[in-house]
Each structure stands twice: as C-alpha cells, then as structure tokens.
Amino acid sequence: LLMGDLLPKILKKENFPHLNKKLQKLRKFKKKLAFLAGCHDEDFEFELASSGIACVDERGNIYLGEKFLQLYGDEEELMAGVLGHEIGHRPNGWKDLRKQQHLPSSIPEMHEFRRGEETKADYFMGTALAELKVNPEPVSHFLISLEGKDIQQSPLYYPSPMRVEIIKTGYADRLYRLEQSQKLFPEFHRATNAADLIADDV
C-alpha cells in the first residue's frame, strides 16, 4: 500500500446477508463517482471490514466497516460522501505516483504527504457531491461528530472543521462552474450532467 497502512480484517459478505441491500444501494454511487474520478465502475469493489469507517487499497477495494455500514448504510447522502472520499484517492494512479514522486522518507514527511492526499480526496468529494446534486451537510456533520475521537486525532488528518471547509470549498467551486456552464452552454450542460448521464438502474 502506498500510504503504508495495514488493511483491516476482511469479513465474508455471505455471513452478513442483512447488509446486502445496503451494499446494493451504494453501487449506483460507486458507478457515478468512479466516472467523475476518470475511472471505471469495475475499478472498485466493496469489501466488509471488521472495524473502521472506510478505506481503499491500491487494487480499488473499498473496505466498509461492518458496524458503520449497519448504522449508516441507508443514509445515502452521507454514504455518497464517504465513497466519494475513497474513490477520490484514485488508487489506480498510485503505481505511477511511486515512479514520478519522491515518497516520504521520515515520519513527519509521511504525515504531511498523507494530509495532502486526504485533502485532495476531500476536495474531490465536495466537487463530486455538487455534480451529483447531493447535499454535503450530512457528511460534514458526521465529520464534526468524529472530532476528539481517535481517528480524527491522527496526525494523518487535518481537524474536522478544516476538512469540512475543504469539502464545502470543493462543492461551492464546482457548483459555481456548473451554474456558469448551464447559463452559457445549456445544451452542453444537459449532455454532460453527471447526475443524469449515468442511469441509476445498476
């Protein structure tokens, strides 16, 4: 893994049949978010993890914590944000990143590098939510609820309020561009609107 993290323990999805519907609902967002990230739907797949919220590996496996999915899997706006963040890491480009960039050689450098990567993923999340016409408030409130907990005290992340500002900046930037393009090129906007371009019946 580029980021140096250990993978979570993987659970067999067949042992959690009650989560199948929740995972199926998320597939429509996975397809659209992959498109917005310049990837393909098949570049990403879901796995259940024994702990945590969500993370992605270099093969595009998105690990969703079983307890997190149980609690929040039906909150579509929140889940769109979480998936947007993981897909926003664009793991299919990590191999090229290794070749092109001098990777961190010390712990402080790794922390700085990781915060930069997390920022890019949060910004992408904001732009993607604007494209999909999804409210960014649910994921913002969720991040704020993590403030003070172990995951947000990690030096790999900026504080939750700062992350929320990054997400909202990405959302506002893309929303402004969408509004301007709609005014100037209404036909082009309708033809390339990501929220309508990809069918929901997946």
Side-chain angles (χ1 to χ4, degrees):
L1 295 179
L2 175 68
M3 304 303 180
D5 292 333
L6 294 175
L7 289 176
K9 180 181 177 182
I10 301 174
L11 303 176
K12 293 183 179 180
K13 284 181 276 190
E14 56 265 30
N15 293 338
F16 300 86
H18 58 291
L19 297 179
N20 287 340
K21 284 188 177 181
K22 297 179 190 291
L23 287 170
Q24 189 60 29
K25 282 182 179 180
L26 299 183
R27 293 189 181 280
K28 69 175 182 180
F29 287 119
K30 177 169 74 76
K31 184 174 184 179
K32 293 179 178 183
L33 290 163
F35 172 81
L36 291 171
C39 304
H40 301 286
D41 184 30
E42 56 269 22
D43 290 339
F44 299 94
E45 190 48 73
F46 294 133
E47 295 286 356
L48 276 183
S50 61
S51 60
I53 297 172
C55 62
V56 65
D57 68 18
E58 64 182 3
R59 297 181 299 278
N61 294 313
I62 299 173
Y63 301 86
L64 295 165
E66 178 262 328
K67 290 183 180 178
F68 169 72
L69 187 61
Q70 177 65 45
L71 288 172
Y72 298 103
D74 292 323
E75 297 186 21
E76 292 193 353
E77 292 177 324
L78 168 60
M79 296 305 298
V82 171
L83 293 183
H85 176 89
E86 300 308 330
I87 289 174
H89 280 298
R90 295 181 173 91
N92 58 354
W94 287 358
K95 289 181 180 179
D96 291 335
L97 187 59
R98 286 195 188 97
K99 297 175 183 178
Q100 298 170 6
Q101 182 170 325
H102 171 67
L103 295 180
S105 57
S106 68
I107 292 177
E109 286 181 357
M110 173 57 80
H111 291 168
E112 183 178 356
F113 175 77
R114 279 292 301 273
R115 285 192 294 267
E117 292 300 308
E118 296 299 333
T119 297
K120 291 177 187 176
D122 280 340
Y123 186 84
F124 171 80
M125 182 216 298
T127 65
L129 293 179
E131 287 275 7
L132 299 179
K133 300 178 182 178
V134 172
N135 188 345
E137 289 302 323
V139 72
S140 298
H141 289 315
F142 180 74
L143 283 174
I144 294 298
S145 75
L146 298 179
E147 189 68 9
K149 297 184 179 179
D150 289 345
I151 186 171
Q152 268 313 117
Q153 290 180 325
S154 167
L156 306 180
Y157 297 93
Y158 285 116
S160 291
M162 186 180 296
R163 294 187 65 190
V164 167
E165 286 305 309
I166 292 165
I167 293 164
K168 290 186 175 181
T169 297
Y171 184 89
D173 288 350
R174 185 54 59 92
L175 197 62
Y176 175 79
R177 292 179 62 184
L178 289 171
E179 290 171 347
Q180 293 304 304
S181 68
Q182 187 172 19
K183 291 177 183 177
L184 296 172
F185 311 105
E187 294 299 325
F188 174 78
H189 178 80
R190 281 193 290 271
T192 58
N193 183 3
D196 301 322
L197 186 59
I198 308 171
D200 285 338
D201 54 343
V202 296

